[in-house]
Amino acid sequence: MLKIRSVDIAVSTILLAVGIAQLIGGYTMDRLEVRHIPPASFPGLLPIVLGIAMTIVAGLQLIGLLRSRDGDDERRASGMVTREELVRLSGLIALCAIYAIVLVGRVHFWVASSLFVATFILAFEFSPGMPRRAMIITIVRALVIAIVFGGAVSYLFEDLFLVRLP
């Protein structure tokens, strides 16, 4: 088992790196001057803002963790990450990797996003021994949320932000 503080430091460091990468990626995106788009509305603006926010939050979290002592962690009596939590985290990482590496670019973006959201909801909402009625409600809710989310994200990026999606 791992100490929660060690996991928090690792995750904060990863999120800090992702925030910086997102900031750089947004800054280097095409500006679309050819289409006479105003400089304040270029497609990289949102990734830049999100990258800045992620970098600040992850940096503050990392600083706080590094300044605190190991014994200050009182979030859980044991202060340890359980095996079940690590398995769920591994499943989440695998699901995100499948979405990014396998689905995006091979199927239309809204389909890939809808599949990802539905699978995510089903994977983390289902529990053994759930009543049949609760299972059906969870499945229907996951499908509705996934379809609305996939369509909304595609519309937002393709039609409003003018970003060509895979």
Side-chain angles (χ1 to χ4, degrees), residues 1-11 73 75-90:
M1 287 203 271
L2 299 170
K3 287 190 171 190
I4 290 176
R5 184 171 186 272
S6 302
V7 173
D8 286 347
I9 289 173
V11 169
D73 191 2
R75 285 185 285 174
R76 193 177 295 138
S78 70
M80 304 296 270
V81 177
T82 65
R83 179 176 175 83
E84 180 184 330
E85 290 170 330
L86 287 175
V87 168
R88 289 175 69 90
L89 176 62
S90 299

Side-chain angles (χ1 to χ4, degrees), residues 22-105:
Q22 187 166 339
L23 174 63
I24 293 168
Y27 182 75
T28 58
M29 278 181 112
D30 293 337
R31 299 288 193 265
L32 300 179
E33 290 101 359
V34 177
R35 293 188 179 182
H36 306 291
I37 292 177
S41 65
F42 70 94
L45 185 60
L46 180 64
I48 288 173
V49 171
L50 294 176
I52 290 170
M54 186 183 294
T55 301
I56 290 170
V57 171
L60 290 173
Q61 177 70 20
L62 187 59
I63 290 168
L65 286 165
L66 294 175
R67 292 172 95 192
S68 71
R69 290 189 308 262
D70 200 21
D72 290 345
D73 191 2
E74 298 294 332
R75 285 185 285 174
R76 193 177 295 138
S78 70
M80 304 296 270
V81 177
T82 65
R83 179 176 175 83
E84 180 184 330
E85 290 170 330
L86 287 175
V87 168
R88 289 175 69 90
L89 176 62
S90 299
L92 173 63
I93 291 169
L95 182 61
C96 291
I98 290 168
Y99 170 70
I101 297 168
V102 177
L103 291 177
V104 173

Side-chain angles (χ1 to χ4, degrees), residues 148-162:
V148 169
F149 175 82
V153 168
S154 289
Y155 173 75
L156 177 72
F157 280 95
E158 288 181 339
D159 296 332
L160 298 180
F161 292 149
L162 302 175

Side-chain angles (χ1 to χ4, degrees), residues 106-122:
R106 288 184 171 69
V107 296
H108 196 280
F109 186 80
W110 79 267
V111 174
S113 296
S114 294
L115 285 171
F116 172 77
V117 170
T119 306
F120 184 91
I121 292 171
L122 293 174

